[in-house]
Amino acid sequence: MGTTIGRRGLLAGAGAALFVGALESCSINAVGTKRGSPPTPTLQLLPLHASPDRITAITVCTRPFRAQGPRLDVEQVGQKTVIHNYGHGGSGWSLSWGSSGIAVQKALAVGERDIAVIGCGALGLTSGLLLQRSGARVTIYAKELPPNVRSSLASGLWTPDSRICLEDYATPAFKQLWSSMVRQSFQTYQNLLGLPGNPVEFIDSYFVSDAPNAPRRRGVAGDTRPKFAELQRELVPDLIPDSEDFGPGSHPFSERYLRRNTLMMFNITAYARLLMADFVSNGGKIEIAEFHTPNDFAKLREKVLINATGYGARALFGDESIIPVRGQLARAIPQPEINYGLFYKGVSFVPRRDGLVFQVVGEDDYYGFNDDTTAPDRGEAELAVNTIAGLYKAV
Ligand SMILES: Cc1cc2nc3c(=O)[nH]c(=O)nc-3n(C[C@H](O)[C@H](O)[C@H](O)COP(=O)(O)OP(=O)(O)OC[C@H]3O[C@@H](n4cnc5c(N)ncnc54)[C@H](O)[C@@H]3O)c2cc1C
């Protein structure tokens, strides 16, 4: 144990990467090896125990994707004013503070101080907390609570433009809205760093390829389907730290090519518990309730509601603009000393402290599109783990 803590402390600032070569006085060539000696890796990554027998759970969830982006308009349902806050695709955690900030402004503009939030996932919890910070009294009504909500089954990375809308709908107005949501969320997340249990932290993540300059995902040749919007580099480049490349011989993954990026990661178990605890300690109430139609809202005492039902809005509001995008995680026994992520051959590895996450993400964002099946696929889970395990074997 003592050794582990010592290594963690040593590694903390460098994302588990030790640049031993740089500390030595001998000369270093372009790929970081000592001249006239066998290649010495300059980037050392602690070994990951990736094997299928260490899988502890396989979870499946559907992202609530809308081609036009999240729904944030105001609707009158009988006597109730409903502010929608759903349809965030693969970006719900990332955009939650910014999106909920917009919904909360609209709710407060009605002039009521008792406000209901329907839903207790990423969007419901952040809506509830932001309402409280503005002085509202809030009750969350939901049929499920964390860890039994879909938000609890996310990968846990800062991915604010992941399946957020189709390119055709990324109008100047949408881009402005999205940018403001991203910046608001990003700033809020900075206040959640360094807390006990690490609900939010930064990690280094390595995109690994067998050839130089390989695309992250290959896509499908001749694909004529509408493209998903990619907005980060265009609209918030200042929020993306520079990447760094490592050639063959300068890292432990044999003759491969690595690109290192620094990313924000959410340890969702700790983070959701923190949000729930903060909401309750601020005087928030949580009631278990299921609504079958919007008319069921009539029984609530509040006149103003934020609808944060995520994928559930499809059935509740008959909103068929929500398209399910299936995603499966293989969760594995945590390895606290590992604090770097990997991406290799369409598989993502996220070093979450509440369980390592392996996921086949496919060759493009259509992977899992319009698939609402939730049966776990053991073969896919093992493929994810074995693909990452393959990196630690010589080629
Ligand atoms: C595999 C996968 C990986 C992902 N990875 C990431 C990631 O790395 N980063 C990221 O930012 N996002 C990620 N996402 C997306 C993110 O998980 C979603 O966008 C987000 O969870 C949506 O949150 P939500 O609060 O809208 O919905 P939910 O979490 O589904 O919460 C909805 C709430 O509403 C309640 N509810 C629904 N219907 C009713 C009803 N009729 N009556 C009463 N209550 C109801 C539910 O019980 C629940 O409490 C991922 C998604 C998937 C599937």
Side-chain angles (χ1 to χ4, degrees):
M1 181 60 119
T3 313
T4 307
I5 291 168
R7 290 170 102 184
R8 234 198 131 77
L10 183 64
L11 296 166
L18 288 177
F19 296 89
V20 291
L23 299 176
E24 294 172 11
S25 57
C26 53
S27 69
I28 305 288
N29 68 18
V31 293
T33 57
K34 287 185 255 180
R35 289 206 177 98
S37 63
T40 305
T42 55
L43 171 64
Q44 293 191 344
L45 300 171
L46 295 176
L48 174 67
H49 300 153
S51 65
D53 58 293
R54 296 176 69 87
I55 294 174
T56 52
I58 302 173
T59 65
V60 182
C61 167
T62 46
R63 300 169 181 88
F65 171 73
R66 295 178 82 234
Q68 54 275 68
R71 185 169 179 203
L72 281 161
D73 61 316
V74 181
E75 183 178 358
Q76 202 63 33
V77 178
Q79 302 296 309
K80 311 291 184 188
T81 304
V82 178
I83 295 93
H84 295 294
N85 188 17
Y86 68 82
H88 297 77
S91 308
W93 282 108
S94 309
L95 294 177
S96 55
W97 292 104
S99 183
S100 296
I102 293 167
V104 163
Q105 273 181 12
K106 293 182 181 184
L108 294 173
V110 182
E112 292 285 330
R113 278 292 169 270
D114 287 294
I115 298 182
V117 174
I118 316 297
C120 197
L123 278 301
L125 283 165
T126 48
S127 295
L129 282 162
L130 290 174
L131 283 165
Q132 290 176 327
R133 290 176 195 172
S134 300
R137 285 182 297 267
V138 189
T139 302
I140 291 179
Y141 300 90
K143 71 174 173 190
E144 296 122 346
L145 308 179
N148 299 320
V149 293
R150 286 166 199 265
S151 292
S152 295
L153 307 182
S155 322
L157 289 177
W158 166 256
T159 54
D161 64 356
S162 168
R163 299 177 174 95
I164 192 58
C165 72
L166 289 181
E167 210 174 63
D168 287 351
Y169 290 91
T171 60
F174 181 82
K175 287 181 174 180
Q176 199 180 9
L177 179 84
W178 180 85
S179 301
S180 76
M181 292 195 286
V182 172
R183 290 186 187 284
Q184 182 61 47
S185 276
F186 189 84
Q187 285 314 321
T188 307
Y189 274 121
Q190 304 321 300
N191 299 323
L192 293 163
L193 294 168
L195 294 174
N198 290 295
V200 180
E201 61 184 313
F202 277 92
I203 56 155
D204 285 342
S205 186
Y206 296 87
F207 165 58
V208 185
S209 59
D210 293 336
N213 304 317
R216 199 172 168 83
R217 291 161 94 187
R218 282 198 302 262
V220 177
D223 194 355
T224 54
R225 294 171 297 182
K227 287 190 168 46
F228 289 84
E230 290 185 11
L231 305 173
Q232 277 197 77
R233 295 225 165 261
E234 177 193 343
L235 299 175
V236 291
D238 51 305
L239 301 185
I240 306 173
D242 289 345
S243 59
E244 191 172 350
D245 290 336
F246 297 87
S250 66
H251 56 72
F253 297 138
S254 196
E255 296 305 302
R256 299 186 175 95
Y257 297 79
L258 269 61
R259 173 158 295 174
R260 177 168 63 195
N261 294 289
T262 302
L263 299 173
M264 204 154 43
M265 178 176 82
F266 314 123
N267 290 301
I268 292 178
T269 308
Y271 180 39
R273 285 178 81 97
L274 175 75
L275 297 178
M276 295 268 286
D278 280 1
F279 178 75
V280 171
S281 70
N282 291 341
K285 296 197 171 65
I286 299 178
E287 290 188 20
I288 303 298
E290 180 167 6
F291 305 92
H292 299 284
T293 82
N295 294 333
D296 290 348
F297 294 155
K299 66 185 176 196
L300 300 179
R301 53 187 175 274
E302 295 86 355
K303 293 186 183 135
V304 180
L305 283 59
I306 292 182
N307 170 30
T309 49
Y311 187 70
R314 186 180 157 98
L316 181 57
F317 279 82
D319 183 352
E320 296 198 353
S321 71
I322 301 180
I323 298 168
V325 185
R326 183 186 186 278
Q328 171 175 296
L329 311 186
R331 305 288 302 277
I333 297 171
Q335 244 185 290
E337 74 278 16
I338 299 290
N339 59 355
Y340 61 89
L342 295 165
F343 189 101
Y344 181 55
K345 288 188 172 168
V347 172
S348 150
F349 162 69
V350 184
R352 291 225 329 248
R353 290 168 193 249
D354 49 5
L356 304 177
V357 172
F358 298 84
Q359 185 183 4
V360 175
V361 294
E363 291 303 348
D364 62 32
D365 279 347
Y366 277 102
Y367 189 77
F369 192 78
N370 210 6
D371 181 352
D372 65 357
T373 59
T374 52
D377 179 341
R378 177 83 200 180
E380 182 180 296
E382 294 197 4
L383 173 69
V385 173
N386 286 332
T387 300
I388 296 297
L391 285 173
Y392 296 83
K393 298 175 185 144
V395 286

